[in-house]
């Protein structure tokens, strides 16, 4: 991918041949790997009888001591319903079998309405975010009911689902739009700083246009409109 200095995409290539085929054994072995074993339990930090976190201990076999990142992305229920929860632990590990604990947000699990049975994805990185290993669809020790976790507090702001106008913006007067401006309606209950982000556009045939933009603003309580610019 080629981008300009503002990280707007300019060009891309796919399926580009190398000069030869490389065998994976020509490369260095990773300094650590995932064993495939995990441990899990619910954690109630405030003593209210429901879990604030799902603690997942991930076993790592370290051959060269250093700093590593264990990342968990997503949980699954028995019907493969996806729970969008994420966390990571950035830590120094000595040589040997080590257990790295990652804490997944309980209210996010509750909000999903799904009962987690599996971890969707576990990634292991070095300190430079080079990927050293991964696991998919890893079973938990039991099925957790979503009601075992804390329910989330009311959100301080939410999207109404209404787009309050959109228009092309020609900033340089050449007759073509430099941006597409989209007005997003937000219902704010607690005044504060918020960020509205738009990811992608679709044409009438649902073909995807890879464009994004965001706007951060201080919003007072009530219905507010945030204008987000998408690069023309």
């Amino acid at each position: 991918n080629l981008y300009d200095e503002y990280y707007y995409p300019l060009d891309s290539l796919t399926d580009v041949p190398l000069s030869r085929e490389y065998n994976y054994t020509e490369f260095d072995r990773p300094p650590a790997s995932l064993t495939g074993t995990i441990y899990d339990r619910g954690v109630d930090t405030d003593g209210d009888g429901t879990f604030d976190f799902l603690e997942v201990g991930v076993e790592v076999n370290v051959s060269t001591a250093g700093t590593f990142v264990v990342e968990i992305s997503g949980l699954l229920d028995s019907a493969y319903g996806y729970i969008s929860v994420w966390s990571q632990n950035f830590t120094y590990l000595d040589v040997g079998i080590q257990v790295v604990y990652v804490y997944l947000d309980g209210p996010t699990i509750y909000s999903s309405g799904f009962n987690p049975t599996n971890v969707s994805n576990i990634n292991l990185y070095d300190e430079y975010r080079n990927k050293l290993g991964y696991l998919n669809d890893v079973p938990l020790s039991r099925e957790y009911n979503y009601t075992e976790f804390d329910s989330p507090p009311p959100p301080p702001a939410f999207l109404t689902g209404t787009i309050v106008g959109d228009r092309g913006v020609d900033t340089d007067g050449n007759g073509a739009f430099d941006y597409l401006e989209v007005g997003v309606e937000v219902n704010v209950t607690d005044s504060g700083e918020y960020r509205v982000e738009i990811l992608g556009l679709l044409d009438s045939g649902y073909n995807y246009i890879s464009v994004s933009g965001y706007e951060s603003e201080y919003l007072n309580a009530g219905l507010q409109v945030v204008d987000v610019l998408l690069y023309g």
Side-chain angles (χ1 to χ4, degrees):
N1 293 310
L2 174 66
Y3 302 92
D4 67 12
E5 63 183 309
Y6 305 106
Y7 215 69
Y8 291 122
L10 302 177
D11 202 0
S12 64
L13 298 172
T14 58
D15 198 17
V16 184
L18 296 169
S19 62
R20 68 175 178 88
E21 179 180 63
Y22 293 85
N23 192 292
Y24 74 92
T25 60
E26 295 181 71
F27 298 92
D28 279 344
R29 291 177 179 270
S33 59
L34 298 170
T35 69
T37 299
I38 68 169
Y39 311 89
D40 57 87
R41 68 186 182 104
V43 177
D44 179 12
T45 59
D46 55 13
D48 65 355
T50 52
F51 300 141
D52 299 89
F53 300 97
L54 177 63
E55 178 191 86
V56 180
V58 179
E59 212 172 64
V60 182
N61 189 350
V62 183
S63 55
T64 303
T67 301
F68 300 94
V69 182
V70 174
E71 176 189 80
I72 291 179
S73 178
L75 297 168
L76 300 170
D77 72 1
S78 58
Y80 286 87
Y82 187 77
I83 302 167
S84 182
V85 65
W86 177 92
S87 189
Q88 66 177 11
N89 189 345
F90 192 96
T91 186
Y92 182 88
L93 298 177
D94 288 320
V95 172
I97 301 294
Q98 310 291 344
V99 178
V100 178
Y101 293 96
V102 180
Y103 294 86
L104 302 175
D105 185 59
T108 301
I109 298 171
Y110 183 100
S111 296
S112 73
F114 294 135
N115 301 328
T117 60
N118 291 56
V119 177
S120 178
N121 187 257
I122 301 173
N123 291 311
L124 175 66
Y125 302 94
D126 67 13
E127 63 183 311
Y128 305 107
R129 296 294 293 190
N130 295 307
K131 196 169 187 175
L132 305 178
Y134 67 93
L135 299 169
N136 293 323
D137 198 14
V138 185
L140 297 168
S141 61
R142 69 174 178 89
E143 180 179 62
Y144 292 85
N145 194 293
Y146 76 92
T147 59
E148 296 181 68
F149 296 91
D150 281 348
S151 59
F158 60 90
L159 300 170
T160 68
T162 300
I163 299 298
V164 185
D166 51 82
R167 67 187 183 98
V169 179
D170 179 11
T171 59
D172 55 14
N174 68 351
F177 300 141
D178 299 271
Y179 299 96
L180 175 64
E181 180 185 87
V182 181
V184 180
E185 190 174 69
V186 183
N187 193 335
V188 182
T189 54
D190 292 337
S191 299
E193 190 77 20
Y194 295 94
R195 169 170 160 159
V196 175
E197 181 180 58
I198 292 177
L199 297 175
L201 295 168
L202 299 172
D203 71 4
S204 58
Y206 286 87
N207 296 299
Y208 185 76
I209 302 166
S210 181
V211 66
S212 64
Y214 68 88
E215 182 66 32
S216 295
E217 290 185 14
Y218 184 91
L219 300 178
N220 292 317
L223 289 177
Q224 307 293 343
V225 177
V226 178
D227 293 320
V228 180
L229 296 176
L230 302 175
Y231 189 58

